[in-house]
């Protein structure tokens, strides 16, 4: 499929977005993008999404993001509307349009696919076309100060459904947990299910104890972040000991370091949980190394283009 023609210049605060409803695709200013109220994303949260970081105009780890999108779609039986190449073309077109309108090259692309538009009824309707929405925004990474001082987190019981491996737009559980963090002046809510660490409301959680980097298992209880794969590769490449397995709540609370990862945070050090210091309450040395390896991986990916 060829890329979609864009309209003329757009206002700075009103970037072009990609929208395809019932097979009709267009690039329109965000303020003009419309979906029918019977879209199943709106009615049921029946859809999945991705968030891809863009550095200097280039999508980072795009193959991994598109593979996860394909897995999420497959898990809920929505046909993938595009080939890999078509996804990449559309992302490139959006990123390029934003570069031209806003002059910003560090962005993050949000893309969402819902089952489509149909008369309301829970079971899958036959013969509908998935709705695709894509937009891009400036990527504002955590500041140097945040990385130097660290952030605080709170905790809650993880009461979400048991398919957290699907990157679903049905995010009510995560929304309530993120709000819990915001209401307590924290950056993130760290979740425990049956006494074991799962993840954050919108991040994966890493624990360092005795120089070993630990992560919970990649199963249906967590979303396997694209940074989960990246950080495990970085640990391996740089000779940091790395262990995947169940992490008891007490091990998180007694960790030397706790680190969050996500597309828009990269990696962030947690220095207090529920008002109690993590380790000595300072940003730890492994965070600094991991952050450096992460920046090297970005530079390497850019160099490879
Ligand atoms: N877990 C949840 C619940 C998330 O929402 C996210 C990202 O938003 C992650 C983990 C981290 O995933 P990624 O590294 O792909 O951003």
């Amino acid at each position: 499929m060829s890329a979609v023609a864009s309209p003329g210049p757009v206002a700075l605060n009103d970037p072009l977005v990609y929208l395809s409803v019932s097979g009709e695709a267009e690039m329109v200013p965000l303020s003009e993008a419309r979906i029918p109220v019977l879209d199943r994303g709106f009615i049921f949260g029946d859809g999945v999404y991705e968030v891809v970081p863009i550095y200097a105009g280039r999508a980072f780890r795009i193959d991994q993001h598109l593979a996860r999108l394909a897995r999420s779609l497959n898990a809920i039986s929505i046909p993938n509307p595009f080939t890999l190449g078509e996804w990449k073309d559309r992302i490139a077109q959006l990123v390029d349009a934003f570069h031209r309108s806003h002059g910003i090259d560090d962005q993050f692309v949000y893309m969402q696919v819902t089952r489509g538009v149909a008369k309301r009824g829970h079971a899958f309707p036959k013969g509908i076309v998935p709705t695709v929405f894509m937009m891009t925004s400036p990527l504002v990474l955590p500041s140097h100060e945040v990385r130097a001082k660290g952030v605080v987190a709170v905790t809650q019981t993880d009461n979400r459904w048991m398919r957290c491996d699907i990157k679903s737009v049905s995010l009510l559980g995560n929304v309530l947990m993120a709000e819990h963090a915001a209401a307590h002046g924290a950056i993130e809510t760290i979740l425990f299910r049956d006494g074991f660490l799962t993840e954050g409301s919108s991040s994966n959680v890493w624990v360092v104890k005795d120089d070993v980097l630990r992560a919970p298992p990649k199963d249906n209880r967590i979303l396997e972040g694209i940074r989960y794969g990246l950080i495990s590769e970085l640990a391996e490449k740089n000779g940091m000991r790395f262990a995947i397995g169940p992490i008891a709540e007490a091990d998180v609370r007694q960790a030397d370091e706790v680190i969050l990862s996500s597309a828009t945070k990269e990696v962030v050090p947690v220095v207090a949980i529920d008002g109690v210091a993590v380790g000595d309450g300072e940003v730890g040395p492994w965070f600094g190394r991991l952050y450096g390896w992460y920046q090297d991986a970005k530079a390497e990916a850019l160099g490879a283009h």
Side-chain angles (χ1 to χ4, degrees):
M1 227 182 278
S2 63
V4 177
S6 334
V10 287
L12 271 189
N13 56 357
D14 198 17
L16 285 178
V17 301
Y18 175 94
L19 183 63
S20 175
V21 179
S22 303
E24 294 289 323
E26 54 180 358
M27 292 271 282
V28 282
L30 179 60
S31 63
E32 288 168 30
R34 300 276 180 274
I35 55 151
V37 291
L38 286 180
D39 191 283
R40 288 177 63 96
F42 180 62
I43 295 283
F44 293 118
D46 183 2
V48 297
Y49 74 108
E50 266 303 319
V51 174
V52 185
I54 309 290
Y55 298 115
R58 311 246 183 228
F60 185 61
R61 296 240 140 183
I62 186 61
D63 290 336
Q64 290 87 341
H65 279 282
L66 291 175
R68 183 173 65 183
L69 179 61
R71 284 201 304 277
S72 294
L73 287 166
N74 190 49
I76 65 168
S77 304
I78 294 182
N80 195 330
F82 304 135
T83 63
L84 273 187
E86 288 166 353
W87 277 116
K88 288 182 186 178
D89 285 350
R90 280 164 180 71
I91 292 169
Q93 196 184 12
L94 206 57
V95 167
D96 191 51
F98 196 73
H99 166 78
R100 277 185 276 111
S101 61
H102 289 65
I104 294 174
D105 288 333
D106 286 353
Q107 310 173 19
F108 68 95
V109 170
Y110 174 88
M111 38 217 233
Q112 164 172 337
V113 183
T114 73
R115 198 173 306 279
V117 183
K119 182 168 173 290
R120 188 178 182 279
H122 288 54
F124 303 168
K126 300 270 179 292
I128 57 170
V129 180
T131 299
V132 183
F133 171 58
M134 300 169 67
M135 65 178 171
T136 189
S137 311
L139 177 63
V140 182
L141 294 170
S143 63
H144 173 74
E145 195 190 4
V146 164
R147 294 197 313 273
K149 290 196 173 147
V151 297
V152 302
V154 287
T155 63
Q156 274 194 320
T157 298
D158 192 345
N159 56 12
R160 298 171 302 162
W161 74 330
M162 291 299 276
R163 290 305 309 272
C164 298
D165 55 315
I166 301 172
K167 201 164 169 61
S168 161
V169 296
S170 305
L171 284 171
L172 188 53
N174 307 62
V175 164
L176 295 177
M177 288 153 180
E179 177 56 25
H180 179 74
H184 290 83
I187 196 176
E188 181 60 297
T189 299
I190 293 176
L191 306 171
F192 299 107
R193 194 191 285 273
D194 303 325
F196 289 90
L197 172 67
T198 53
E199 58 182 344
S201 74
S202 62
S203 55
N204 287 120
V205 180
W206 304 81
V207 166
V208 180
K209 185 71 179 176
D210 298 332
D211 299 323
V212 179
L213 181 64
R214 299 181 60 193
K218 290 180 267 187
D219 60 19
N220 57 313
R221 296 174 179 83
I222 69 166
L223 180 77
E224 182 188 338
I226 301 309
R227 270 125 292 280
Y228 190 115
L230 172 63
I231 290 169
S232 13
E233 280 171 34
L234 293 176
E236 181 146 347
K237 183 173 163 201
N238 292 283
M240 180 179 193
R241 283 187 293 152
F242 177 56
I244 294 181
I247 303 175
E249 179 170 343
D251 291 345
V252 178
R253 297 195 187 276
Q254 287 151 28
D256 299 330
E257 300 184 37
V258 172
I259 295 166
L260 306 175
S261 68
S262 79
T264 52
K265 289 188 193 75
E266 297 189 338
V267 281
V268 168
V270 177
V271 291
I273 296 178
D274 293 335
V276 178
V278 173
D280 61 6
E282 303 282 324
V283 175
W286 283 110
F287 169 77
R289 291 177 195 124
L290 194 51
Y291 178 76
W293 301 336
Y294 197 114
Q295 301 313 307
D296 292 346
K298 281 161 58 176
E300 214 171 282
L302 281 176
H305 281 281

